[in-house]
Amino acid sequence: MSKPETPDASLVAAYVVSGLPLEQFAPLFGLSDEALAARGVIRRIVDSAVGYPSRVELEDAEVGDTVLLLNYEHQPADTPFRASHAIFVNEKAEETRRTVNRLPGALAARDAVSLRAFREDGMMIDAGFAQRGEVEAAIGRFFANPDVAYLHAHTVGWGCYLARIDRA
């Protein structure tokens, strides 16, 4: 029986994954569908175990939960890479999640994750994707470049923003 491979130390980086601040979304929780629609927000009832990753909790919402689908500006830097996209927020979210050196479910459950590397000034300088089980090594490869200040993780198919990843 062979020994399992140890990850190459050059591909391991200390990192932090941060959810979006709960206080930005809590005022929307419990509003009527009409009041949400006036703000460009749609309420959905979760119908599958994977597919509704809450950007506050960094976990997929459970079947039967209600989530809010809204547009969120995740890259506000005044560069050509300024961006917003659709996100889900679970209405039962109670606190913003932050993980250190561990992928939260919203990233770990995806078959693949797109990663975009940015300098401190918000200019994207690299991008790629990683299959499930390879995301942490990809984070390490990006952070091996000292010019990379932070990463954004996105879903591969729909391109929705998942989370920000910073050096720990």
Side-chain angles (χ1 to χ4, degrees):
M1 189 177 260
S2 64
K3 245 172 113 176
E5 286 187 37
T6 304
D8 181 341
S10 68
L11 301 180
V12 177
Y15 66 94
V16 176
V17 183
S18 302
L20 298 175
L22 174 64
E23 56 273 4
Q24 289 184 7
F25 308 100
L28 300 173
F29 297 174
L31 291 180
S32 69
D33 289 346
E34 294 77 21
L36 290 172
R39 293 166 173 82
V41 179
I42 299 170
R43 177 177 283 119
R44 295 269 170 93
I45 297 175
V46 175
D47 60 4
S48 64
V50 175
Y52 298 87
S54 177
R55 295 346 188 266
V56 171
E57 302 167 303
L58 302 176
E59 295 292 337
D60 279 277
E62 297 176 5
V63 173
D65 286 352
T66 59
V67 293
L68 302 179
L69 176 61
L70 63 137
N71 188 273
Y72 181 78
E73 186 176 37
H74 59 274
Q75 181 60 10
D78 191 16
T79 72
F81 297 102
R82 181 182 196 126
S84 67
H85 207 297
I87 64 167
F88 288 111
V89 174
N90 194 329
E91 282 194 281
K92 74 175 191 181
E94 294 180 352
E95 68 180 353
T96 298
R97 183 154 182 224
R98 182 178 182 269
T99 65
V100 179
N101 297 331
R102 188 171 56 79
L103 292 177
L107 274 70
R110 312 270 85 72
D111 288 334
V113 174
S114 170
L115 295 168
R116 300 169 189 176
F118 295 89
R119 290 189 320 223
E120 193 63 44
D121 66 359
M123 286 296 293
M124 185 167 34
I125 57 173
D126 203 353
F129 72 94
Q131 300 292 333
R132 183 182 302 168
E134 299 173 0
V135 176
E136 288 182 305
I139 291 169
R141 285 191 299 275
F142 282 116
F143 282 152
N145 178 345
D147 293 332
V148 173
Y150 60 94
L151 305 172
H152 279 181
H154 293 258
T155 61
V156 172
W158 288 76
C160 299
Y161 173 77
L162 287 169
R164 178 174 166 137
I165 304 168
D166 291 284
R167 295 173 189 272

